[in-house]
Amino acid sequence: MAQTGEIDFDNLHTLLGYHLRRAQVAVFKNFAEAVGAEDISPGLFGALTIIGGNEGLSQNDLAGALALDRSTLVSVIDKLEQRTLVERRKAETDRRRHALHLTDTGRDMLKRLKSKVAEHERNIAKDLSEAERNVLIDLLRRLYGGNGE
Amino acid sequence: MAQTGEIDFDNLHTLLGYHLRRAQVAVFKNFAEAVGAEDISPGLFGALTIIGGNEGLSQNDLAGALALDRSTLVSVIDKLEQRTLVERRKAETDRRRHALHLTDTGRDMLKRLKSKVAEHERNIAKDLSEAERNVLIDLLRRLYGGNGE
DNA sequence: TATTGTTATACTCTATAACTATA
DNA sequence: TATAGTTATAGAGTATAACAATA
């Protein structure tokens, strides 16, 4: 019977989607190790980062930035609020909206996370030169139609 | 209030993980459109491809090849078997094992899928030269430690 | 009427632990 | 004892549809 080492992968190894998934699994695993006891996912870190850079934004704004449905954002903010990292304040100008703010705890955690995530980035790209890393980001961006900064 | 276009993404756009996720979402969406009425996910296509290239392999072999737990493989094969694309045959040499085989329907579908997936690959990489596409695959591979073919 | 946030619900993908049958 | 497959269960991540409050 075929052993794992002898498996014929046919054309699977020629497909971008295959390598994207493998790379993402590896990167997410490394992310989890890098943040360790902070115990946060890339998605929640992204939400925290954007709230930190845009205090007072609405859930709709954040959903748009993260390309998530606004119903999905509810549970994202629920999680962050349960951990006292973020708070919903009633927006005064439009009482349908929640203005999202980091708590002091959230700000501290974000600061710690940023240095851990920076280390994580160096770690996953340790076999790539700085130029190669930039090429990789550029090529990925062209895959999904993202513009430069 | 901040609009989506004015959001400050801070350092998020400098992170490989961010672009990987965005690229993967775009690629998976395009995959779904490309296979259309065949209605199959990249994961099931991968399983089908490996079974097609290794008829008679066991569920354990396949789990290893796809880097999935063997309990996860059960539901993968359940789905493929419910659609009459794959069948479990009792391995004669070791009656604990299931030898996985494509049905005629599965073989036909795999053949159709391969051309649709090839088109999908051309489509997602349409803004990349052949050389750039190869560089991208090489760089992704170095992110997860994958060797050459 | 339209928008913001919420709830209820559901689906996909994945894993761990305990079980059965075989080896 | 160890392995192959299964089941029960759980959790993350995501979406759609319907709803209340507000605009």
Side-chain angles (χ1 to χ4, degrees):
Chain A
M1 201 59 32
Q3 305 303 303
T4 300
E6 310 169 352
I7 293 274
D8 178 1
F9 281 81
D10 200 342
N11 64 349
L12 225 47
H13 282 171
T14 70
L15 303 180
L16 274 172
Y18 174 81
H19 297 288
L20 274 173
R21 173 182 169 267
R22 295 289 305 262
Q24 190 167 32
V25 167
V27 166
F28 275 37
K29 186 175 298 182
N30 185 281
F31 184 98
E33 287 165 10
V35 300
E38 307 281 3
D39 189 31
I40 198 160
S41 67
L44 292 186
F45 170 72
L48 224 40
T49 299
I50 292 182
I51 296 170
N54 305 269
E55 297 258 349
L57 87 171
S58 72
Q59 294 186 192
N60 245 8
D61 293 335
L62 183 54
L66 295 173
L68 296 176
D69 188 83
R70 67 191 200 283
S71 69
T72 303
L73 233 293
V74 173
S75 67
V76 169
I77 302 301
D78 283 351
K79 281 174 199 145
L80 295 175
E81 208 171 34
Q82 276 156 26
R83 293 172 63 170
T84 341
L85 301 172
V86 162
E87 60 184 31
R88 290 165 159 111
R89 298 186 196 155
K90 273 291 177 196
E92 304 204 342
T93 51
D94 182 341
R95 286 166 53 227
R96 290 172 306 183
R97 291 184 174 228
H98 285 156
L100 301 176
H101 290 270
L102 293 185
T103 61
D104 289 343
T105 310
R107 228 178 317 274
D108 287 350
M109 175 152 176
L110 180 56
K111 194 175 169 191
R112 289 194 307 275
L113 282 174
K114 278 185 180 178
S115 84
K116 293 192 176 190
V117 169
E119 193 193 333
H120 152 72
E121 278 292 313
R122 284 192 297 276
N123 197 259
I124 59 176
K126 66 180 185 304
D127 293 336
L128 273 52
S129 69
E130 186 57 26
E132 285 172 328
R133 190 175 168 285
N134 290 333
V135 167
L136 177 53
I137 287 183
D138 176 61
L139 292 172
L140 288 172
R141 211 169 220 152
R142 284 158 65 193
L143 235 40
Y144 70 81
N147 316 20
E149 308 289 295
Chain B
M1 200 59 33
Q3 305 302 304
T4 300
E6 309 169 352
I7 294 274
D8 178 1
F9 281 80
D10 199 344
N11 64 348
L12 226 47
H13 282 172
T14 70
L15 303 181
L16 275 171
Y18 173 82
H19 296 288
L20 274 173
R21 173 184 168 265
R22 294 288 306 263
Q24 190 168 30
V25 167
V27 166
F28 274 37
K29 186 175 297 180
N30 185 281
F31 185 98
E33 286 165 11
V35 301
E38 308 281 2
D39 189 31
I40 199 161
S41 66
L44 292 186
F45 170 72
L48 225 40
T49 300
I50 292 183
I51 296 169
N54 304 270
E55 297 259 347
L57 88 171
S58 72
Q59 293 185 194
N60 246 7
D61 293 334
L62 183 54
L66 295 173
L68 296 175
D69 187 85
R70 66 192 201 282
S71 68
T72 303
L73 232 293
V74 173
S75 68
V76 169
I77 302 301
D78 283 351
K79 281 176 199 143
L80 294 174
E81 207 172 34
Q82 275 157 26
R83 292 171 65 170
T84 341
L85 301 171
V86 163
E87 61 184 30
R88 288 165 160 113
R89 299 187 196 154
K90 273 291 177 195
E92 305 205 341
T93 50
D94 181 343
R95 286 167 53 228
R96 291 172 305 183
R97 291 184 174 229
H98 285 156
L100 301 175
H101 291 269
L102 293 184
T103 61
D104 290 343
T105 310
R107 228 178 316 275
D108 288 351
M109 176 152 176
L110 180 55
K111 194 176 169 191
R112 289 195 308 276
L113 281 174
K114 277 185 180 177
S115 85
K116 294 193 175 189
V117 169
E119 192 192 333
H120 152 72
E121 279 290 314
R122 284 192 297 277
N123 197 260
I124 58 175
K126 66 180 185 305
D127 293 335
L128 272 52
S129 70
E130 186 59 25
E132 286 173 326
R133 189 176 168 285
N134 290 334
V135 167
L136 177 53
I137 287 182
D138 176 61
L139 291 172
L140 288 172
R141 212 167 220 156
R142 284 159 63 191
L143 235 40
Y144 70 81
N147 318 20
E149 307 290 296

